[in-house]
């Protein structure tokens, strides 16, 4: 009886460990999160001028959240898609934005970027 209780506790512990580990293995950032992060940048990317603080805060937040290669590729693909789908965006401003916000991004934000090469 005591042996089966120990086995049940171990099985429960294993199930809990698997449930908590699964989301961590698939922790890629979503395009919704990327969209929210760059939303304050859209007017700047269309018209230029002063970069809103909320824009740089969003860029910095995305950069710090993209901790894994999967996350960085996901963000790259979302940014690539946004750069190609939002009408009126100045791609030169988009490419320079991370640097102007003090963030180093190892790829160009452009519809032609190959996100498979992002590390």
């Amino acid at each position: 009886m005591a042996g089966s209780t120990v086995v049940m506790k171990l099985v429960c512990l294993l199930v809990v460990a698997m449930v908590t580990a699964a989301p961590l293995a698939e922790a890629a950032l979503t395009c919704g999160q990327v969209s929210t992060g760059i939303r304050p940048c859209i007017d700047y990317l269309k018209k230029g001028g002063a970069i809103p603080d909320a824009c740089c805060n969003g860029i910095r937040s995305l950069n710090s959240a993209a901790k894994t290669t999967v996350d960085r590729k996901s963000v790259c693909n979302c940014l690539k898609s946004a750069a190609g789908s939002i009408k009126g965006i100045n791609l030169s401003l988009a490419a320079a934005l991370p640097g102007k916000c003090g963030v180093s991004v190892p790829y160009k934000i452009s519809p032609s970027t190959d996100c498979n090469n992002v590390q």
Side-chain angles (χ1 to χ4, degrees):
M1 186 82 129
S4 65
T5 304
V6 170
V7 170
M8 283 302 286
K9 287 181 181 179
L10 286 174
V11 168
C12 288
L13 185 60
L14 180 61
V15 169
V16 169
M18 288 171 43
V19 169
T20 19
L24 297 176
E26 300 172 14
L29 293 164
T30 67
C31 284
Q33 290 167 302
V34 173
S35 244
T36 299
I38 65 167
R39 187 169 291 124
C41 307
I42 302 301
D43 282 344
Y44 166 76
L45 294 173
K46 289 181 176 183
K47 303 172 190 170
I51 301 172
D53 288 339
C55 171
C56 284
N57 291 341
I59 297 289
R60 286 187 205 103
S61 176
L62 285 172
N63 191 56
S64 65
K67 296 184 185 303
T68 68
T69 299
V70 171
D71 288 339
R72 289 185 289 275
K73 285 182 179 186
S74 178
V75 170
C76 176
N77 280 311
C78 294
L79 290 174
K80 176 180 176 175
S81 177
S85 67
I86 300 173
K87 302 291 183 225
I89 284 187
N90 180 328
L91 292 177
S92 296
L93 291 176
L97 183 59
K100 289 186 177 194
C101 289
V103 174
S104 176
V105 176
Y107 53 85
K108 183 178 179 181
I109 299 172
S110 164
S112 63
T113 299
D114 183 357
C115 297
N116 292 321
N117 294 327
V118 171
Q119 296 296 315

